[in-house]
Amino acid sequence: MKAVRVHPKGEGGELRLEEIPVPEPGPGEVRVRVAWAALNQMDRWMCRGVPGFRFPLPLTPGCDFSGTVDALGPGVAGVEPGTRVCVAPGYSCGACLPCGSGRQNLCRRFGIYGETRDGGDAEFAVVHAENLIPVPDGFPLDRAAAFPLTFLTAWHMLVDRAQVRPGERVLIHAAGSGVSVAATQIAHLWGAAVMVTAGTAEKVRKGLENGAEKGVDYRTGDWVAEARAWTGKAGLDVIVDHVGADTLPQGLWLLARGGRLVTCGVTSGRSMELNLAPLFFKSLSLLGSTMGSLGEQKEVAAHVFDGRLQPVIDSRFPLEKVARAHEKMESRDVFGKILLEVGGETG
Ligand SMILES: [Zn+2]
């Protein structure tokens, strides 16, 4: 089969399109014939390299993908070949205390397809049967590939960690990123008002279309002053940050009493100087978040399939043009998800 493979090169990895054997599903596993896969920041980190983390290269990237069930491994029941599915990207041991209490993302053996084992940038992918999410008839498989990781991440940040409430004011950085597109819609769904920041006027416009009430281009405007003006000096209730060094320190000063800042990444840098005075003076919470539970993944999927949350697709590339898709991601000229067409809609 055709598969994208990342091979070790220097500190990171190098993308290649290769022919490799079709994988066989083991006990409890299912083989999916992939229709569409979506790019995530993870794919770029694998190529760039992450200090202190070793990807098990060579590896097939692709955390998000959809397709049809192709073959069942030993012991798998209740799944019909031909079923249209997308895949929950996170898997865990299923036996430990966090797993037993429905917090799979805290499992010490938690992993992600396309990060810790082969993912979906290939004609076939093998996944754990419990990770299959059936896609309703009439819901297109390209959109089904465009939401699992980012909408789960944003849902867990806002609903579980920050516990957003109706009427609260939420600031979301980098409006066009996959997580921020999802976070904007999720905060809106929960009845919060959203302000977004973005690096171009066009992305600000799309952020407003995506449900934000206020947007600021941080290259031409002062987002700190704009956020203060937007809240009438009361302060923000929640900040969703995955930018890090460039935004997080100022964010703490913008929060209202009892405010929460939740972070899932540090794209601009992971080391920064923080003044902790507002943290205790204003009873703030600084929260970290990675992925979410399998239950949350299914909850998010139901909202997507019912149309209450809407995956946003930026662009589509054939599998053969995976390098071009990565260049597009690296350019940051993106609003929503970049998709790879592998087999296309087959269901
Ligand atoms: Zn576990």
Side-chain angles (χ1 to χ4, degrees), residues 99-118:
C99 283
S101 57
R103 295 174 294 155
Q104 289 85 0
N105 54 320
L106 302 185
C107 173
R108 289 185 66 186
R109 291 167 69 188
F110 185 76
I112 301 174
Y113 303 118
E115 181 194 6
T116 50
R117 58 179 271 174
D118 286 338

Side-chain angles (χ1 to χ4, degrees), residues 4-7 12-15 37-50 55 57 59-65 112-115 117-122 145 149-150 319 322-323 325-327 329-330 337-340:
V4 177
R5 302 287 284 172
V6 177
H7 286 267
E14 176 184 58
L15 279 177
L39 264 65
N40 284 286
Q41 285 298 335
M42 188 79 75
D43 308 86
R44 292 304 309 146
W45 295 338
M46 203 186 302
C47 295
R48 279 197 222 112
V50 176
F55 291 97
L57 305 182
L59 190 76
T60 300
C63 309
D64 283 324
F65 47 101
I112 301 174
Y113 303 118
E115 181 194 6
R117 58 179 271 174
D118 286 338
D121 292 2
L149 188 141
T150 49
L319 186 66
V322 62
H326 275 238
E327 282 166 23
M329 183 126 203
E330 196 75 7
K337 301 301 289 178
I338 300 171
L339 296 189
L340 294 175

Side-chain angles (χ1 to χ4, degrees), residues 288-302:
S289 191
T290 293
M291 301 293 284
S293 73
L294 199 52
E296 287 174 301
Q297 184 78 74
K298 290 177 179 175
E299 201 176 0
V300 161

Side-chain angles (χ1 to χ4, degrees), residues 11 48-54 270:
E11 300 290 297
R48 279 197 222 112
V50 176
F53 184 82
R54 270 178 67 113
R270 59 184 183 174

Side-chain angles (χ1 to χ4, degrees), residues 19-321:
E19 282 287 333
I20 62 170
V22 174
E24 289 301 323
E29 295 178 338
V30 170
R31 185 167 67 214
V32 174
R33 178 187 291 270
V34 179
W36 292 88
L39 264 65
N40 284 286
Q41 285 298 335
M42 188 79 75
D43 308 86
R44 292 304 309 146
W45 295 338
M46 203 186 302
C47 295
R48 279 197 222 112
V50 176
F53 184 82
R54 270 178 67 113
F55 291 97
L57 305 182
L59 190 76
T60 300
C63 309
D64 283 324
F65 47 101
S66 63
T68 49
V69 172
D70 181 63
L72 310 182
V76 175
V79 184
E80 290 293 319
T83 305
R84 299 164 81 248
V85 293
C86 60
V87 172
Y91 60 87
S92 62
C93 81
C96 70
L97 183 65
C99 283
S101 57
R103 295 174 294 155
Q104 289 85 0
N105 54 320
L106 302 185
C107 173
R108 289 185 66 186
R109 291 167 69 188
F110 185 76
I112 301 174
Y113 303 118
E115 181 194 6
T116 50
R117 58 179 271 174
D118 286 338
D121 292 2
E123 289 179 287
F124 295 93
V126 165
V127 301
H128 305 83
E130 62 267 26
N131 283 61
L132 296 178
I133 301 172
V135 176
D137 290 344
F139 193 92
L141 287 178
D142 55 352
R143 297 181 68 206
F147 80 87
L149 188 141
T150 49
F151 276 77
L152 171 66
T153 299
W155 183 276
H156 188 67
M157 291 176 84
L158 279 166
V159 180
D160 181 274
R161 301 294 278 145
Q163 304 208 344
V164 69
R165 300 175 67 82
E168 288 196 319
R169 289 185 178 261
V170 179
L171 174 67
I172 298 171
H173 287 297
S177 82
V179 167
S180 295
V181 167
T184 302
Q185 292 188 23
I186 290 164
H188 190 68
L189 181 68
W190 281 81
V194 177
M195 171 176 162
V196 292
T197 69
T200 68
E202 175 70 0
K203 283 195 227 178
V204 168
R205 187 184 63 74
K206 289 182 177 171
L208 296 174
E209 271 179 21
N210 190 43
E213 174 184 297
K214 161 101 182 154
V216 58
D217 178 348
Y218 63 79
R219 290 180 200 267
T220 57
D222 179 345
W223 68 269
V224 172
E226 296 271 355
R228 274 210 183 94
W230 183 58
T231 58
K233 294 187 181 169
L236 296 156
D237 299 298
V238 176
I239 298 178
V240 172
D241 193 307
H242 46 82
V243 177
D246 286 353
T247 54
L248 196 148
Q250 301 97 310
L252 282 188
W253 290 99
L254 289 171
L255 287 171
R257 284 165 193 270
R260 293 84 75 200
L261 190 153
V262 57
T263 172
C264 70
V266 285
T267 49
S268 71
R270 59 184 183 174
S271 297
M272 65 204 79
E273 194 171 303
L274 280 187
N275 182 333
L276 294 184
L279 197 70
F280 56 83
F281 272 131
K282 295 198 285 182
S283 298
L284 306 180
S285 301
L286 181 55
L287 305 164
S289 191
T290 293
M291 301 293 284
S293 73
L294 199 52
E296 287 174 301
Q297 184 78 74
K298 290 177 179 175
E299 201 176 0
V300 161
H303 288 300
V304 169
F305 295 146
D306 289 344
R308 288 183 292 276
L309 296 173
Q310 309 220 347
V312 174
I313 295 171
D314 175 89
S315 47
R316 297 169 171 82
F317 292 84
L319 186 66
E320 291 74 17
K321 302 282 188 197

